[in-house]
Amino acid sequence: MTTNHAPPGAERTAVVTGGSRGIGRAVAHRLARADLAVVVNYASDADAAEETVAAITAAGGRSTGVRADVADEHAVAALFDRAEQEFGGVDVVVNCAGRLALSPIADLDLAVLDAVHRTNIRGTFVVAQQAARRLRAGGSFVGFSTSVVGTQFPAYGAYAASKGAVEALTLILARELRGRDITVNTVAPGPTATDLFLDGKTPEQIDRLAKAPPLERLGTPEDIAEVVAFLTGPEGRWVNGQVLRANGGMV
């Protein structure tokens, strides 16, 4: 496959899935501050996406919001088409879109399992597939896993299993893109203060998880966005085919 290069001096463009809220929103803002045009993908919350886009443009950046279910290959192809049509190409893809369900394995409704895996595994695969076809030379793909793959907390069986698959497929993609000057890495956050993480947890549970890392605090979406900015920027070009556990030192 031939890889296009961005014209000299051309604006770089990022596609951020799940970019309307939480870590995805922080990533979108951080990449915009690094002078990338940002395509903010969202699944259903158009208002949140519009807020993200408006904040980026108000700060002098370029951005647009595009609705797409990451597990729908036609919708994702249209998302990348829009990025190319509006901004000239795609240089960075960050797949923040994800779904979380907590339950003991013995009790989990298999329909919930299917929904988690549809977004987290199929969705990652579909987005990675388009990234492999569209990214220009010098580009980067960043997938999202979780440190629970290593910590193995109870009730996270479906979620951790799906993210283990994300790690495997993204690291294989790094090797499949040999010779194209494209980096592929996965970020695996620890407990991070997002709505997705905080929902349904008691203050005691949150406090216990905050004390788990040696730094004794929850991560912030901005902490994770800085890691993504490093991996997709010039300073991170020698990091490829890795899982980076951004979790404050949790085992």
Side-chain angles (χ1 to χ4, degrees):
M1 180 183 292
T2 301
T3 302
N4 294 326
H5 293 254
E11 182 176 46
R12 299 174 73 228
T13 302
V15 172
V16 181
T17 72
S20 64
R21 300 174 63 190
I23 291 172
R25 174 179 283 188
V27 168
H29 281 292
R30 181 62 181 85
L31 295 183
R33 292 200 301 274
D35 296 326
L36 279 80
V38 182
V39 179
V40 176
N41 160 255
Y42 64 98
S44 58
D45 194 341
D47 290 342
E50 289 173 8
E51 289 173 7
T52 304
V53 169
I56 290 171
T57 55
R62 297 184 69 200
S63 183
T64 190
V66 180
R67 183 173 184 167
D69 173 0
V70 291
D72 180 336
E73 65 271 30
H74 304 295
V76 172
L79 166 66
F80 277 75
D81 287 344
R82 177 80 173 275
E84 291 176 342
Q85 292 160 5
E86 201 149 331
F87 299 118
V90 179
D91 303 282
V92 171
V93 176
V94 185
N95 188 48
C96 295
R99 185 186 294 266
L100 172 65
L102 300 181
S103 169
I105 291 169
D107 301 330
L108 183 65
D109 183 332
L110 293 182
V112 174
L113 175 71
D114 290 343
V116 168
H117 285 194
R118 183 177 188 277
T119 298
N120 295 357
I121 300 178
R122 180 186 170 91
T124 299
F125 196 101
V126 168
V127 174
Q129 187 175 68
Q130 286 297 321
R133 295 172 178 174
R134 313 266 196 140
L135 277 169
R136 296 189 285 203
S140 301
F141 177 88
V142 177
F144 264 81
S145 178
T146 172
S147 287
V148 180
V149 172
T151 60
Q152 300 155 5
F153 293 148
Y156 281 81
Y159 184 66
S162 72
K163 293 302 189 175
V166 168
E167 293 186 11
L169 75 90
T170 52
L171 301 192
I172 289 170
L173 180 63
R175 285 136 184 93
E176 291 181 346
L177 297 186
R178 173 183 290 274
R180 289 182 51 192
D181 190 25
I182 294 170
T183 64
V184 181
N185 294 287
T186 291
V187 177
T192 305
T194 64
D195 290 343
L196 182 70
F197 170 78
L198 297 173
D199 184 47
K201 292 185 176 68
T202 66
E204 293 76 19
Q205 289 172 318
I206 293 169
D207 184 65
R208 186 171 64 254
L209 287 166
K211 293 291 176 56
L215 295 179
E216 293 192 335
R217 68 171 175 86
L218 294 178
T220 68
E222 291 71 26
D223 288 329
I224 308 305
E226 290 295 343
V227 174
V228 173
F230 167 73
L231 291 174
T232 59
E235 299 86 356
R237 293 304 299 172
W238 195 233
V239 182
N240 188 35
Q242 304 299 316
V243 176
L244 200 163
R245 304 210 181 283
N247 59 25
M250 291 176 66
V251 176

